Every structure is written in C-alpha cells, then in structure tokens.
Amino acid sequence: LFVWDCATCGSNPVVVFAKFESTLDHRYWYGRWTGTAWDCHEICAAGAFIDGPTQPYYSGGIVLDHAEPSIVYCSRQVNGQWEIYRYTTPDGGATWTGIPITSGSASKQIRPVVVRNHSAALKVLWLSGAYTSYHLYDLALMGSIK
C-alpha cells in the first residue's frame, strides 16, 4: 500500500493510494473518512511498475484535485504505455468515470500533479518522456486544462 495524496472534503479527509496485487498489477483506490470509518473503493487498474525491476512498486501516480476531491488524475498503463486519465465520482468513490487526457503516446506520461488554486488556463501537469529509473530519465513537463 502506498498513499499518493490526501485532501479534505468538508471536514473529513480523503486519500488516494495504490495497492499491489503484484508488481505487474497495481491498483488505484480512493478512501474517504465518513466520521466513523474509512469507506474505500477501487478507481482503476494502474498497470505494472513504470521502471525496471529494481523498483517494482513505482506506479505512474495518482493525485486529488484539492479544490474538488471527487476528481482525481492518474497515470495508468493502457495498451503497453502509461497515459494520463481524469476520473470523477458522483457518489463518494463508489463509482468512477474516466476520460483520457493523453492517448496513443509514444512515451510515458507519468506523475500527474494538480495545480493548486488553478485557473481555466492550466489545471494539471505531468512528466512526459523516457523514464528508465529515478536516476535515468529524459522528461518534459506537460499540462492540460481538462
């Protein structure tokens, strides 16, 4: 289990985290404190690790939109490549709808970050490019208004 981000929804905390069925099967989850217990639901399959087998628990990443914690952005493996997705929930995390921010990428799209106090001009940033390990990479910073 790896916690990626936490925020508040009203006065209660929410978290997004990765669970590992195996090194090749990472899953993203959403947890919300109800006031008496954690209510946790799976968002989506994330894919495998993003770098070589020396770091088998490096997922692509998932973050909350702190202005609206029912929205998350994640990097997940689709057709062998990591892409950025935006997921929303209307019911506290019980169900999720995802739309791709990137698709058909030639290189990895990883480590999304929601811009705090964002405007309509820029909402989410992420890294794009070659990522072999935490000390061997060639990445560019990308952004989207979605």
Side-chain angles (χ1 to χ4, degrees), residues 1-53:
L1 184 77
F2 182 86
V3 174
W4 277 96
D5 198 10
C6 59
T8 56
C9 188
S11 60
N12 291 334
V14 294
V15 296
V16 286
F17 56 97
K19 287 177 71 175
F20 307 102
E21 302 296 319
S22 74
T23 59
L24 301 177
D25 186 9
H26 299 193
R27 303 289 173 126
Y28 292 136
W29 284 71
Y30 182 88
R32 163 178 81 80
W33 180 250
T34 65
T36 56
W38 284 100
D39 183 29
C40 297
H41 300 277
E42 185 175 314
I43 301 168
C44 66
F49 51 85
I50 63 170
D51 67 354

Side-chain angles (χ1 to χ4, degrees), residues 4 15 28 33 41 44 53 55 59 80 96 103 105 112 125 138-139:
W4 277 96
V15 296
Y28 292 136
W33 180 250
H41 300 277
C44 66
Q55 299 294 327
S59 303
W96 292 89
S103 63
S105 299
L125 302 170
D138 184 12
L139 299 164

Side-chain angles (χ1 to χ4, degrees), residues 51 108 110 127-140:
D51 67 354
K108 293 176 182 168
I110 59 172
L127 298 174
S128 175
Y131 184 93
T132 304
S133 73
Y134 66 93
H135 56 80
L136 183 58
Y137 52 86
D138 184 12
L139 299 164

Side-chain angles (χ1 to χ4, degrees), residues 20-96:
F20 307 102
E21 302 296 319
S22 74
T23 59
L24 301 177
D25 186 9
H26 299 193
R27 303 289 173 126
Y28 292 136
W29 284 71
Y30 182 88
R32 163 178 81 80
W33 180 250
T34 65
T36 56
W38 284 100
D39 183 29
C40 297
H41 300 277
E42 185 175 314
I43 301 168
C44 66
F49 51 85
I50 63 170
D51 67 354
T54 59
Q55 299 294 327
Y57 299 104
Y58 269 27
S59 303
I62 184 168
V63 294
L64 294 154
D65 182 336
H66 286 234
E68 181 52 60
S70 63
I71 300 172
V72 302
Y73 292 87
C74 68
S75 171
R76 57 184 296 248
Q77 193 175 21
V78 178
N79 298 322
Q81 189 58 273
W82 282 263
E83 303 286 1
I84 301 296
Y85 273 72
R86 179 184 190 263
Y87 281 87
T88 59
T89 180
D91 52 16
T95 60
W96 292 89

